[in-house]
Amino acid sequence: ASLPAGVYARLGQRVPAGVKVVVDASGPALAASAAARPFLMKPNREELAEAFGEPASTREEMVGLAKKLQSLGARNVAVTLGGEGALLVDESGGVAFRPAVEGSPRSAVGAGDSFVAGFLYGWSQGGGLDQALDWAVSAGAATAFREGIASGEEVRAVYRRAFGGQG
């Protein structure tokens, strides 16, 4: 059973000041939860299209729908595109795209959650939203390249290979 669409927005409004809220939801809850002004919303392409009943086939369409989420309150919207990569529409209006990391995907299970964890890790390192997106893509890919959830060392190895960072 799923939760009512407005539950994420209500929960988000009760979060203490300074706490960053991340929403990874689908269906009616995705658009409804934007009212809580989450720091990050992470739909995949299909969830984004479903939320508004509009196509999300092209990068331009996805950016337009991400901006719709922002008009409803979301601060940053990261859209995962599976084997195509990810895009981020940030709260300053910037749009960033990262292609998928090259490798041999084995399972998509947990890749979206790993993406969110990588984003938050990258953000916590003080490198801003660009670095957060690099870490997110690395973490999602590292998990997709194995069965189960990637370890921190596996994520760092993908990050070093894909982005040349020290990780």
Side-chain angles (χ1 to χ4, degrees), residues 28-122:
L30 179 65
S33 63
R37 294 211 28 83
F39 170 70
L40 177 68
M41 296 189 79
K42 198 245 28 107
N44 63 34
R45 177 197 327 248
E46 293 77 20
E47 291 165 341
L48 186 62
E50 179 188 352
F52 295 104
E54 296 181 29
S57 302
T58 67
R59 199 175 299 177
E60 293 74 24
E61 289 170 343
M62 287 182 275
V63 169
L65 293 177
K67 288 183 177 184
K68 274 191 173 186
L69 279 177
Q70 288 177 316
S71 74
L72 296 173
R75 292 175 52 197
N76 301 289
V77 180
V79 183
T80 53
L81 309 174
E84 296 175 45
L87 68 85
L88 173 70
V89 179
D90 70 43
E91 59 191 322
S92 68
V95 177
F97 173 77
R98 297 294 185 279
V101 175
E102 289 189 30
S104 299
R106 294 181 63 190
S107 173
V109 175
D113 295 329
S114 294
F115 180 97
V116 170
F119 190 96
L120 295 175
Y121 174 78

Side-chain angles (χ1 to χ4, degrees), residues 86-165:
L87 68 85
L88 173 70
V89 179
D90 70 43
E91 59 191 322
S92 68
V95 177
F97 173 77
R98 297 294 185 279
V101 175
E102 289 189 30
S104 299
R106 294 181 63 190
S107 173
V109 175
D113 295 329
S114 294
F115 180 97
V116 170
F119 190 96
L120 295 175
Y121 174 78
W123 174 258
S124 76
Q125 299 305 297
L129 294 170
D130 276 339
Q131 182 176 336
L133 185 57
D134 293 347
W135 278 104
V137 169
S138 299
T143 290
F145 295 161
R146 67 183 320 279
E147 295 293 330
I149 303 297
S151 69
E153 186 48 46
E154 289 169 318
V155 172
R156 285 187 289 278
V158 170
Y159 178 79
R160 288 189 297 268
R161 180 168 55 84
F163 300 104

